[in-house]
């Protein structure tokens, strides 16, 4: 799933030595897919119920993307990113970030000290969302970053927006 295949230096046998594994677990924790209790990862009952149902698990993740945010600005940024994905008007992530920053500004969000929302501000607010997009293959890395404009990606975004 993380496809580290030879790109990671070091033993990669501990989360503390393999940053992508740490980020993946942190993202799964934020989404409510796992929780850490006394140093052990546990799967919550709600996730166990949908663990053999791919559609149910996808809906769980879609709902969690909008319901589990650190703050309202990150929630609004995620909502705008999902709208971008569902609309499938842009395949370039940088163009989408620009539109998301504009949308956040239109909603009244401002960042100190410069006031206006920048693409970098939008990117910072979308750290959790982009982690999910990357893990799911919706956001691909290349020279730049691009959205995978697939019917499945659009269906995921629409499911998230309907929650």
């Amino acid at each position: 799933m993380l496809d580290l295949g030879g790109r990671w230096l070091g033993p990669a046998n501990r989360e503390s030595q393999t940053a992508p594994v740490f980020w993946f677990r942190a993202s799964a924790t934020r989404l409510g897919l796992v929780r850490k209790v006394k140093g052990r990862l546990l799967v919550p009952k709600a996730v166990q119920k949908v663990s053999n149902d791919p559609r149910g698990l996808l809906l769980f993740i879609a709902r969690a993307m909008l319901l589990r945010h650190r703050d309202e600005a990150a929630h609004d940024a995620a909502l705008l990113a999902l709208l971008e994905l569902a609309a499938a008007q842009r395949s370039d992530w940088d163009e989408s970030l620009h539109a998301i920053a504009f949308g956040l500004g239109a909603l009244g969000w401002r960042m100190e000290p410069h006031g206006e929302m920048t693409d970098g501000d939008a990117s910072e607010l979308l750290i959790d969302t982009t982690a999910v997009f990357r893990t799911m293959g919706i956001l691909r890395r290349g020279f730049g970053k691009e959205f995978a404009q697939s019917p499945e990606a659009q269906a995921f975004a629409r499911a998230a927006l309907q929650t």
Side-chain angles (χ1 to χ4, degrees), residues 30-142:
R30 278 190 298 276
L31 288 170
L33 295 171
V34 295
R35 59 190 175 97
K36 199 171 185 179
V37 178
K38 296 181 182 178
R40 297 186 62 200
L41 288 178
L42 302 175
V43 179
K45 294 211 183 292
V47 177
Q48 288 176 11
K49 289 180 185 176
V50 295
S51 64
N52 291 321
D53 175 16
R55 180 173 163 73
L57 188 56
L58 200 60
L59 287 173
F60 182 93
I61 293 169
R63 286 186 194 105
M65 280 189 66
L66 286 178
L67 299 176
R68 295 174 174 262
H69 280 285
R70 293 168 281 161
D71 56 47
E72 290 181 46
H75 173 270
D76 289 351
L79 184 63
L80 291 169
L82 288 164
L83 285 168
E84 279 285 311
L85 181 58
Q89 297 298 308
R90 301 182 230 306
S91 61
D92 183 87
W93 179 243
D94 291 334
E95 288 178 20
S96 293
L97 279 177
H98 188 69
I100 292 165
F102 177 81
L104 288 167
L107 290 171
W109 291 108
R110 301 284 179 262
M111 294 294 266
E112 296 298 328
H114 47 77
E116 293 296 314
M117 293 294 291
T118 66
D119 299 2
D121 296 330
S123 181
E124 188 176 322
L125 289 169
L126 288 167
I127 287 174
D128 296 342
T129 302
T130 54
V132 173
F133 283 177
R134 270 192 235 104
T135 301
M136 294 180 73
I138 291 172
L139 186 61
R140 292 182 274 199
R141 296 175 198 225

